[in-house]
Amino acid sequence: MSELNKLQNAEEKNENSQIIEPNTAADSLNTVQETATKETHSTPPTHDIALDEINASNAEDAEDEGNKDRHTITFKAYDEMDLEALVNEFETLVDKEKVQAIKAHVEGIKNAFNSRFSALLDEKKAEFLNEGGNEIDFYYSTPVHKRFKDAYKAYRNKLNTHYKTIEQNLKLNLQKKLDLIEELKGLIGKEEHINDTYKQFKDLQERWRATGPIPRDKYNNAWNSYHHHVEIFYDFLHLNRDLRDLDFKRNLEKKLKIISRAEELAQEEDAMYAFRELQELHKMWKEELGPVGKEHREEIWERFKAATKIINDKRQLYYKEMDKIHEQNLIKKEEIILDIERIVSENISSHGAWQKKIKDIEALRASFFKIGKVPLKVNEATWAKFKEAVRHFNRQKNAFYKDLKKDQFDNLQKKRELVEIAEDNKDSEDFEVTTPLMKKIQNEWKKIGHVPRKDSDKIWKQFKNSCNYYFDRINSKRDEANKALIENFDKKQALLDELKTVTLAKDKSEDLKTIKAYVNTWKNLGRVPSDKRFIDSNFNKAIDGLFSQLDMNKNEAEMLKFESKLETLNSNDDDNKSLDNERTFIRKKIDEVKAQINQLENNLQFFRNVKDDNPLVKDVKTNISKHKEELKLWTSKLSKIKSLY
């Protein structure tokens, strides 16, 4: 594996990278390390977990100092953004921020974008197949997708450049520090001009501190070797104790301040903040300060180590609490996955129900992303299970809408047939036949289900316009007819008002002519609107009043009235409906009168032995005579009405 790939893996997987150095550098460092191991170390050897973690963290930071900037970029709710907003945010991060500081953001954006675009892709693919496309020919992309790919490519290029730069710098810095260690060795034992030698040593220390980070797997060995030879150099300074003791004093003062700050941090509630600052203190202890007098070394180191252990114990407790939170998050996410799977198992059979479930899934999906992290060991499995549950839902949704669209295309064809019928008949003049047909296809239209949305408005307008055109024609003709009927009503109202003022001449023949003249005039005025036909009844009452003034028997007068009524009915009865109703009424009256006569004649059988002058017998016979006269009148009316057919 290349050095660059190992650096990338360290960044992406949070694992320790192992950089293969040139043989000369490795051999030199190994030689120094062997020498350091054989000699006395100023820091007591220890396998303390707290110190191991500090050393590991500092070694990692030494390799890539840019990592400490990550927390300064606000992490946004990427799962709630649409595709356009995600790409805008991605492009801004790549353009404005350090590439090594945006990895978590890029991963969040990439996951959210891929999830949304995958759902969109499924929908477009379903539409393509529904419209008769072949799956092998399906391809879909959008400008926003191209922008995302371009931004991701730019990110990877910048990241590769960053790693290459790190790799080169780490190699160069390691070699510089190895050279400084060799230079330090050369100062030991150089007794002439000790003050000049000391100045060279101080300059070397500054150059060591100024040298940048080195590979993390070389960090501790390099520092241990360097520090080992620094202590040897100070031991060499016994020829000039004043210089050595002055440095020991200064280093002791600074290390005591570091210890004091570490002990303050041990009381800090924010364990992660305390640990981060503790790392800096350890770097200062190692990188910036030299040794102290032997009589103080073990004491101050134990104090510093004790404070370090307290802070690290709090950090470990924090991680344990975080592990509990992650476990709770896992439970919540698994419940959401179960909720999605329950929805998937439901039998959803309508568009409205699917729309509601789509909203439910979106809400569950948003909740899933808001919950937070789960244990790392189950993170990928949980994410895969969630994605599969959502995809299963999307597959069922797409299958439903595929069938629904097939039904909609069938409905579209049915509605097109109705449009064709409406178009063919909108100009028809045969209103009696066409009107029921147009009403029928309107009812059939209502019973047909949905059509594809893109066709819905267009086909509805075609159908509505054809139907409206036809019925507007009917209404126009009806308005013209109603205008004439209203004029007839006004004329009849004037004639009725005139009739109410007529005075008969008391000459039966002349008066009959007068009445019949009014009847004929009324009949010739024509029909009136259906809601104003009451005027015919008012006319008949007025005519009846005139007939009642004539000198004639009751039946004769009744027949004249009836004939006048028939003439009025006949003038307003194009389809004989009114005459049919009148004939039915007369037949019913004839049957009723006959039944009454039969009943009365049957009653006489009970009085066979009673004399004819008996009041009861006389009353029955009188009633029979009256009913027979009435029957004669109704029979005459029936004959008269039959003559009109």
Side-chain angles (χ1 to χ4, degrees):
M1 182 180 292
S2 70
E3 297 169 5
L4 177 60
N5 288 339
K6 290 180 179 180
L7 273 171
Q8 290 172 323
N9 290 338
E11 174 68 22
E12 294 175 356
K13 298 181 179 179
N14 292 324
E15 297 176 354
N16 290 333
S17 63
Q18 297 295 325
I19 304 176
I20 302 175
E21 304 296 335
N23 290 336
T24 54
D27 293 344
S28 176
L29 183 58
N30 288 338
T31 301
V32 172
Q33 182 181 354
E34 290 172 4
T35 303
T37 304
K38 295 176 182 178
E39 301 188 32
T40 304
H41 195 282
S42 65
T43 302
T46 179
H47 296 291
D48 190 288
I49 294 175
L51 296 178
D52 290 344
E53 292 192 6
I54 287 287
N55 289 335
S57 296
N58 284 340
E60 183 175 348
D61 285 350
E63 184 178 272
D64 185 3
E65 293 180 342
N67 290 347
K68 62 188 178 183
D69 295 328
R70 290 182 181 181
H71 67 280
T72 61
I73 303 174
T74 303
F75 202 92
K76 299 181 179 179
Y78 299 121
D79 56 289
E80 298 178 7
M81 295 183 180
D82 59 24
L83 295 175
E84 189 75 25
L86 286 168
V87 173
N88 290 341
E89 185 66 21
F90 194 4
E91 290 172 338
T92 300
L93 287 172
V94 173
D95 184 49
K96 304 292 185 183
E97 302 292 347
K98 293 181 179 180
V99 68
Q100 68 270 28
I102 63 175
K103 176 186 177 294
H105 300 268
V106 170
E107 285 300 310
I109 290 172
K110 184 175 73 171
N111 289 337
F113 186 92
N114 287 342
S115 177
R116 288 191 178 278
F117 190 76
S118 176
L120 177 63
L121 202 62
D122 288 343
E123 292 178 5
K124 295 298 180 182
K125 185 176 182 179
E127 290 179 6
F128 177 76
L129 296 177
N130 290 341
E131 293 173 359
N134 192 326
E135 185 170 1
I136 197 172
D137 298 325
F138 175 73
Y139 174 77
Y140 179 77
S141 186
T142 62
V144 73
H145 186 225
K146 183 179 184 304
R147 285 174 55 203
F148 175 81
K149 291 194 293 185
D150 290 344
Y152 194 76
K153 183 178 180 181
Y155 165 72
R156 296 300 303 178
N157 288 340
K158 289 184 72 172
L159 195 62
N160 288 338
T161 301
H162 169 70
Y163 285 136
K164 286 179 181 178
T165 302
I166 289 178
E167 181 182 8
Q168 293 170 356
N169 290 340
L170 292 177
K171 286 182 179 180
L172 182 61
N173 293 339
L174 176 62
Q175 188 58 51
K176 287 180 179 179
K177 289 202 172 185
L178 292 176
D179 291 343
L180 288 173
I181 292 174
E182 293 300 319
E183 187 178 337
L184 178 59
K185 289 181 182 179
L187 294 179
I188 299 172
K190 192 176 181 180
E191 296 186 1
E192 65 274 10
H193 307 295
I194 193 66
N195 289 335
D196 292 338
T197 302
Y198 182 75
K199 289 179 181 180
Q200 293 176 25
F201 169 72
K202 300 304 288 184
D203 176 67
L204 186 148
Q205 282 186 312
E206 288 299 321
R207 283 185 284 144
W208 175 274
R209 285 193 288 266
T211 303
I214 63 175
R216 73 186 68 175
D217 61 324
K218 311 295 184 184
Y219 174 79
N220 283 325
N221 288 339
W223 181 84
N224 287 334
S225 297
Y226 167 75
H227 196 70
H228 169 72
H229 289 94
V230 167
E231 289 188 345
I232 293 176
F233 179 79
Y234 273 104
D235 290 340
F236 164 70
L237 282 182
H238 68 279
L239 297 176
N240 193 332
R241 293 181 180 274
D242 291 339
L243 289 174
R244 186 188 66 174
D245 292 344
L246 182 60
D247 259 6
F248 281 172
K249 181 180 179 183
R250 288 173 179 170
N251 292 337
L252 178 61
E253 291 174 353
K254 291 179 180 179
K255 286 190 173 183
L256 287 174
K257 289 180 179 180
I258 288 176
I259 293 170
S260 177
R261 178 54 185 159
E263 290 171 343
E264 289 178 7
L265 290 173
Q267 307 303 317
E268 172 65 45
E269 293 183 2
D270 188 339
M272 298 308 296
Y273 164 77
F275 184 80
R276 284 193 295 271
E277 188 168 336
L278 180 66
Q279 285 180 261
E280 297 300 322
L281 296 179
H282 273 266
K283 287 180 184 179
M284 291 171 60
W285 186 285
K286 282 187 171 183
E287 297 287 342
E288 299 180 15
L289 302 179
V292 299
K294 290 183 179 180
E295 68 276 16
H296 300 296
R297 289 176 186 174
E298 185 173 351
E299 176 188 354
I300 63 173
W301 174 246
E302 289 299 325
R303 280 184 61 190
F304 190 34
K305 188 172 71 170
T308 297
K309 184 177 185 307
I310 293 173
I311 295 171
N312 194 66
D313 287 347
K314 287 185 176 181
R315 175 171 171 261
Q316 292 301 322
L317 182 61
Y318 168 81
Y319 279 131
K320 288 181 181 178
E321 293 299 319
M322 290 304 298
D323 287 343
K324 292 179 182 178
I325 293 173
H326 293 167
E327 290 290 344
Q328 291 298 316
N329 291 345
L330 176 62
I331 293 172
K332 293 176 183 177
K333 287 193 172 184
E334 287 178 339
E335 289 174 352
I336 287 177
I337 294 172
L338 287 176
D339 288 340
I340 295 174
E341 290 174 344
R342 277 193 288 269
I343 291 175
V344 170
S345 67
E346 294 178 11
N347 183 20
I348 311 171
S349 57
S350 70
H351 169 70
W354 271 106
Q355 291 302 305
K356 182 179 182 303
K357 296 305 179 184
I358 289 171
K359 291 180 180 178
D360 291 344
I361 292 294
E362 283 297 319
L364 289 170
R365 187 175 177 280
S367 298
F368 184 90
F369 287 116
K370 289 179 181 178
I371 286 173
K373 295 181 180 180
V374 299
L376 185 62
K377 62 183 179 181
V378 295
N379 182 54
E380 290 188 8
T382 305
W383 172 241
K385 191 175 181 182
F386 170 75
K387 285 196 297 184
E388 180 56 31
V390 173
R391 285 174 180 169
H392 193 182
F393 173 82
N394 287 333
R395 285 193 290 268
Q396 288 191 352
K397 176 195 69 176
N398 293 338
F400 170 81
Y401 280 103
K402 180 179 179 180
D403 293 338
L404 183 63
K405 286 181 179 179
K406 181 180 180 300
D407 293 339
Q408 288 179 349
F409 280 115
D410 292 341
N411 293 339
L412 178 61
Q413 185 58 39
K414 293 177 183 177
K415 288 193 173 183
R416 282 175 175 163
E417 292 172 358
L418 296 183
V419 169
E420 186 176 351
I421 294 173
E423 290 280 353
D424 291 343
N425 290 275
K426 68 179 183 178
D427 293 311
S428 174
E429 295 293 336
D430 189 352
F431 296 122
E432 291 186 6
V433 175
T434 306
T435 300
L437 174 64
M438 298 296 277
K439 290 182 178 179
K440 179 183 177 184
I441 63 175
Q442 285 180 324
N443 288 330
E444 288 179 2
W445 184 279
K446 294 177 183 177
K447 294 176 183 177
I448 297 173
H450 294 286
V451 301
R453 185 179 300 175
K454 64 180 181 179
D455 302 300
S456 179
D457 289 343
K458 179 182 177 182
I459 196 168
W460 165 242
K461 287 178 182 178
Q462 289 177 321
F463 183 73
K464 182 179 69 172
N465 291 341
S466 297
C467 292
N468 287 348
Y469 178 81
Y470 173 78
F471 285 107
D472 286 345
R473 288 177 57 238
I474 291 181
N475 292 334
S476 177
K477 290 185 178 294
R478 185 176 295 152
D479 290 342
E480 293 178 7
N482 283 342
K483 184 178 180 182
L485 295 178
I486 291 173
E487 290 178 358
N488 293 343
F489 174 78
D490 293 339
K491 292 176 182 178
K492 283 191 173 185
Q493 184 63 55
L495 184 62
L496 182 57
D497 293 340
E498 180 184 336
L499 183 61
K500 290 178 181 179
T501 64
V502 169
T503 302
L504 296 179
K506 303 302 181 181
D507 183 334
K508 178 181 177 182
S509 178
E510 291 297 325
D511 290 341
L512 280 175
K513 289 180 181 179
T514 301
I515 294 173
K516 286 184 178 181
Y518 275 106
V519 171
N520 288 332
T521 302
W522 185 273
K523 179 177 66 174
N524 292 331
L525 288 176
R527 301 173 62 190
V528 299
S530 58
D531 61 336
K532 297 184 183 297
R533 287 183 180 176
F534 61 85
I535 198 170
D536 290 328
S537 177
N538 293 342
F539 175 76
N540 289 333
K541 289 179 182 179
I543 292 296
D544 288 347
L546 293 177
F547 276 125
S548 65
Q549 298 178 32
L550 299 178
D551 184 15
M552 60 179 65
N553 65 53
K554 181 179 179 182
N555 283 356
E556 184 181 1
E558 187 65 33
M559 283 304 296
L560 287 173
K561 293 178 186 178
F562 183 68
E563 289 173 3
S564 174
K565 179 180 180 182
L566 288 181
E567 289 180 0
T568 304
L569 290 176
N570 199 28
S571 65
N572 293 325
D573 201 12
D574 294 337
D575 57 0
N576 291 332
K577 186 176 181 181
S578 297
L579 287 176
D580 288 341
N581 290 338
E582 187 67 21
R583 183 172 61 176
T584 301
F585 173 73
I586 292 172
R587 282 177 173 172
K588 184 178 180 183
K589 294 301 293 185
I590 289 173
D591 291 339
E592 289 178 358
V593 173
K594 284 181 178 180
Q596 289 174 346
I597 291 172
N598 288 336
Q599 182 64 43
L600 290 171
E601 288 177 345
N602 289 334
N603 290 344
L604 282 177
Q605 298 299 320
F606 294 102
F607 299 101
R608 283 179 297 182
N609 299 324
V610 179
K611 295 180 178 181
D612 291 340
D613 59 353
N614 183 284
L616 290 176
V617 175
K618 290 171 66 175
D619 186 49
V620 171
K621 288 183 176 181
T622 300
N623 282 336
I624 290 174
S625 297
K626 287 172 59 178
H627 282 87
K628 285 183 177 181
E629 284 296 321
E630 186 179 357
L631 179 61
K632 183 179 178 181
L633 177 61
W634 286 115
T635 304
S636 298
K637 288 183 176 181
L638 181 60
S639 298
K640 186 66 178 177
I641 200 170
K642 284 181 177 180
S643 68
L644 297 178
Y645 284 91

